[in-house]
């Protein structure tokens, strides 16, 4: 016996978003990426308003992301790196202690894992807004 199934209609676009507001200087905020996919750390600045604050090292003056490493029982820290001097530029999110500080990290926050965000000292409050992005056809 053959079963025939006919579907009709349209799929509604998904336009959800999640917002974290009032991220104050020198304070930690626990954040969860709301979509069931990993979140690349490089590019996290696209969710931030105002733009992240960077420094040449993982210091109070740089915005930071902290993830718990349950294997080594320690924090893994990422910070927004900005070089100094003439021609200073934003490098992006780098892992504290990574060897090549000229490129953003390639690491991602795994599905279902939360993290702490720390706003840089002496900076205006920040807002992080996660908006689901449509996958582009290749």
């Amino acid at each position: 016996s053959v079963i025939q199934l006919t579907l009709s209609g349209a799929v509604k676009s998904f336009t959800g978003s999640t917002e974290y507001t009032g991220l104050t200087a020198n304070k930690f905020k626990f954040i969860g990426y709301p979509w069931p996919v990993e979140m690349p750390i490089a590019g996290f600045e696209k969710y931030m308003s105002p733009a992240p604050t960077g420094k040449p090292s993982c210091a109070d003056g740089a915005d930071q992301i902290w993830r718990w490493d349950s294997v080594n029982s320690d924090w893994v820290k990422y910070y927004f790196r900005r070089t100094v001097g003439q021609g200073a530029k934003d490098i992006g999110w780098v892992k504290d202690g990574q060897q090549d500080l000229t490129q953003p990290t390639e690491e991602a926050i795994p599905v279902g894992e939360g993290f702490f965000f720390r706003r840089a000292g002496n900076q205006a409050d920040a807002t992080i807004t996660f908006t689901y992005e449509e996958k582009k056809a290749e």
Side-chain angles (χ1 to χ4, degrees):
S1 125
V2 174
I3 298 175
Q4 185 174 359
L5 178 64
T6 303
L7 301 174
S8 64
V11 176
K12 183 179 188 256
S13 295
F14 186 75
T15 57
S17 66
T18 299
E19 186 172 84
Y20 295 89
T21 60
L23 304 169
T24 41
N26 292 323
K27 303 279 184 188
F28 286 93
K29 176 77 172 182
F30 185 76
I31 293 178
Y33 189 62
W35 318 124
V37 293
E38 71 178 13
M39 183 193 79
I41 295 170
F44 182 72
E45 66 273 11
K46 70 184 172 185
Y47 303 115
M48 292 183 64
S49 177
T53 300
K55 292 290 180 186
S57 66
C58 191
D60 287 347
D63 287 342
Q64 301 171 17
I65 294 171
W66 291 32
R67 293 181 47 225
W68 181 250
D69 178 353
S70 58
V71 173
N72 296 309
S73 297
D74 199 6
W75 291 104
V76 178
K77 300 174 188 172
Y78 305 86
Y79 64 98
F80 195 79
R81 180 169 164 72
R82 180 170 178 77
T83 61
V84 294
Q86 188 169 357
K89 68 177 186 170
D90 289 339
I91 302 298
W93 294 93
V94 299
K95 183 177 181 178
D96 189 27
Q98 87 183 32
Q99 296 299 312
D100 182 4
L101 294 175
T102 64
Q103 297 295 318
T105 184
E106 294 181 6
E107 295 182 16
I109 296 175
V111 174
E113 180 180 290
F115 59 95
F116 280 102
F117 175 80
R118 184 177 189 278
R119 182 70 170 144
N122 299 320
Q123 296 300 311
D125 289 1
T127 298
I128 294 173
T129 305
F130 295 118
T131 303
Y132 190 76
E133 301 174 51
E134 256 184 46
K135 293 267 185 192
K136 305 290 184 215
E138 302 204 19

